[in-house]
Amino acid sequence: MDSLSAIQSVSSMSEPMKTSLIEYSSPAAQTQPSFAAMLGEGLSNVNSNIRTAESSMNTFSLDGNTPTHELMLTMEKAKFSLQVAVEVRNRLVEAYSELTRMQI
């Protein structure tokens, strides 16, 4: 079924059928990950970046088999991901303190 025939078949459907098709295929209808899950995933990514940088640094210092540019790239990636995580934490703390200062 090519795209033109698919569009024609959707346009020939009854209105309730079109609505249910749109609701079913919308990304908002799918389950979204929770905020805590997204934070946990982000922190695990930061942790894996740091561990990779440490591993590259240990390999470089012991064997010297790791190229210097790869070592620097992994270290900068770990540094940047940690800086982003710290900034997210700062923003969350700032938002929480703003909420606690609100008068009800």
Side-chain angles (χ1 to χ4, degrees):
M1 179 182 221
D2 63 340
S3 59
L4 183 59
S5 63
I7 292 171
Q8 289 172 345
S9 67
V10 169
S11 65
S12 65
M13 288 181 180
S14 67
E15 192 59 39
M17 182 76 105
K18 285 183 196 178
T19 305
S20 66
L21 181 65
I22 291 171
E23 288 174 358
Y24 179 74
S25 63
S26 77
Q30 298 173 357
T31 59
Q32 297 288 328
S34 69
F35 184 70
M38 290 189 325
L39 277 179
E41 182 181 340
L43 288 177
S44 67
N45 287 340
V46 169
N47 190 31
S48 70
N49 287 340
I50 291 172
R51 290 193 185 272
T52 303
E54 287 176 350
S55 172
S56 293
M57 195 167 35
N58 288 337
T59 303
F60 179 77
S61 64
L62 294 176
D63 299 339
N65 292 335
T66 304
T68 308
H69 67 279
E70 287 183 15
L71 174 66
M72 292 308 295
L73 284 173
T74 57
M75 289 177 64
E76 286 297 316
K77 184 178 179 182
K79 178 183 166 186
F80 182 71
S81 64
L82 184 62
Q83 287 175 343
V84 168
V86 167
E87 188 61 33
V88 168
R89 180 196 59 95
N90 290 343
R91 297 287 173 107
L92 286 173
V93 168
E94 185 180 322
Y96 178 76
S97 64
E98 183 72 25
L99 285 173
T100 57
R101 283 187 293 222
M102 277 186 181
Q103 293 184 5
I104 298 177

